[in-house]
Amino acid sequence: MSEQLTGTVDDRHAILSIAVKPRDTIRYVLTTKKLSYFIFVGIIGVFASNLVSFIGSEFTGQYTLGDIVYSTFLLSLILYFLSTVLSAGVLTLSAKAFGGKGKFKEMFRMISVTMIPYIWILPVLLFWMQFAPQSFFSISYMETSLGDLILQFVCGTLIIISSIWTYVITVIGISEVHRISKWKAFFASFIVIAVLGATYFLF
């Protein structure tokens, strides 16, 4: 089985192959990779998604960009485990309601893989934050130019595409892990969205 997967997904480019071969890539990494791989990928992905949350936020200069990046990374270490454990647990239960046969361990690893699209845009986010903070943040004492607006549009489009692809990978991953149809996986994923949304508003 591993030999067949190696023939369809290049081990050196698993992070890129998920863009064109999501199901094969998910099957490949779940079969061949160790837990440390998923934790690393998941933390970096959560770190990138947390940086996205700063877009449009007020920047007063009280903290440096380095402080923001460093504290966000440390926070991501905690949020990764909390959000992934919660999502894996709820997804396992919701998918089983649709006839799924997957286990919590597999779901935990699969959810980590779904964060890969955010890894793609991490260099873009760091570059944007560093070299055009006036368009990344809301800075009252700096005006945005036409170039800033174009940058916001381009980067915003990349973020939207990455977010959509993350959800697509999630649905495909649920289908693969639980051996259910994509439609069942799609509906099962709504339960996780509802739980995480409720948790966000409560806390």
Side-chain angles (χ1 to χ4, degrees), residues 56-77:
S57 63
E58 185 177 0
F59 180 79
T60 61
Q62 182 178 2
Y63 300 100
T64 66
L65 295 179
D67 292 334
I68 293 175
V69 171
Y70 179 70
S71 60
T72 301
F73 180 76
L74 293 181
L75 181 62
S76 298
L77 297 176

Side-chain angles (χ1 to χ4, degrees), residues 75-89:
L75 181 62
S76 298
L77 297 176
I78 300 173
L79 290 179
Y80 162 71
F81 289 102
L82 290 177
S83 62
T84 306
V85 167
L86 177 61
S87 298

Side-chain angles (χ1 to χ4, degrees), residues 23 91 94-95 98-100 107 110 167-193:
R23 185 177 292 275
L91 269 178
S94 62
F98 290 91
M107 289 303 303
M110 185 279 294
Y167 185 69
V168 170
I169 295 173
T170 300
V171 172
I172 294 174
I174 296 171
S175 173
E176 175 63 28
V177 170
H178 286 277
R179 300 293 189 272
I180 56 179
S181 68
K182 292 180 182 179
W183 279 109
K184 289 182 179 180
F186 174 77
F187 287 115
S189 66
F190 271 114
I191 299 178
V192 173
I193 295 175

Side-chain angles (χ1 to χ4, degrees), residues 30 33 35 38 105-113:
L30 289 178
K33 298 298 184 180
L35 179 61
F38 298 97
K105 178 181 178 180
E106 296 172 314
M107 289 303 303
F108 182 91
R109 298 186 178 202
M110 185 279 294
I111 291 172
S112 299
V113 175

Side-chain angles (χ1 to χ4, degrees), residues 14-189:
I15 289 182
L16 298 179
S17 67
I18 202 167
V20 293
K21 299 179 180 179
R23 185 177 292 275
D24 290 339
T25 303
I26 291 172
R27 188 183 301 124
Y28 174 81
V29 295
L30 289 178
T31 304
T32 63
K33 298 298 184 180
K34 296 181 179 180
L35 179 61
S36 57
Y37 172 86
F38 298 97
I39 292 177
F40 175 78
V41 168
I43 289 175
I44 300 302
V46 171
F47 170 54
S49 68
N50 286 337
L51 287 180
V52 170
S53 66
F54 282 100
I55 297 176
S57 63
E58 185 177 0
F59 180 79
T60 61
Q62 182 178 2
Y63 300 100
T64 66
L65 295 179
D67 292 334
I68 293 175
V69 171
Y70 179 70
S71 60
T72 301
F73 180 76
L74 293 181
L75 181 62
S76 298
L77 297 176
I78 300 173
L79 290 179
Y80 162 71
F81 289 102
L82 290 177
S83 62
T84 306
V85 167
L86 177 61
S87 298
V90 177
L91 269 178
T92 300
L93 295 175
S94 62
K96 285 185 180 298
F98 290 91
K101 301 178 180 179
K103 298 180 180 179
F104 174 85
K105 178 181 178 180
E106 296 172 314
M107 289 303 303
F108 182 91
R109 298 186 178 202
M110 185 279 294
I111 291 172
S112 299
V113 175
T114 65
M115 298 306 298
I116 288 178
Y118 283 104
I119 296 179
W120 300 340
I121 63 171
L122 179 57
V124 175
L125 293 172
L126 293 175
F127 177 87
W128 184 13
M129 178 186 292
Q130 178 66 37
F131 294 99
Q134 70 277 8
S135 61
F136 186 94
F137 298 99
S138 175
I139 306 178
S140 59
Y141 54 87
M142 297 182 67
E143 295 184 359
T144 55
S145 63
L146 177 60
D148 293 327
L149 295 177
I150 294 175
L151 183 61
Q152 286 177 338
F153 175 78
V154 173
C155 293
T157 301
L158 292 176
I159 292 171
I160 291 173
I161 292 173
S162 298
S163 299
I164 293 174
W165 197 242
T166 291
Y167 185 69
V168 170
I169 295 173
T170 300
V171 172
I172 294 174
I174 296 171
S175 173
E176 175 63 28
V177 170
H178 286 277
R179 300 293 189 272
I180 56 179
S181 68
K182 292 180 182 179
W183 279 109
K184 289 182 179 180
F186 174 77
F187 287 115
S189 66

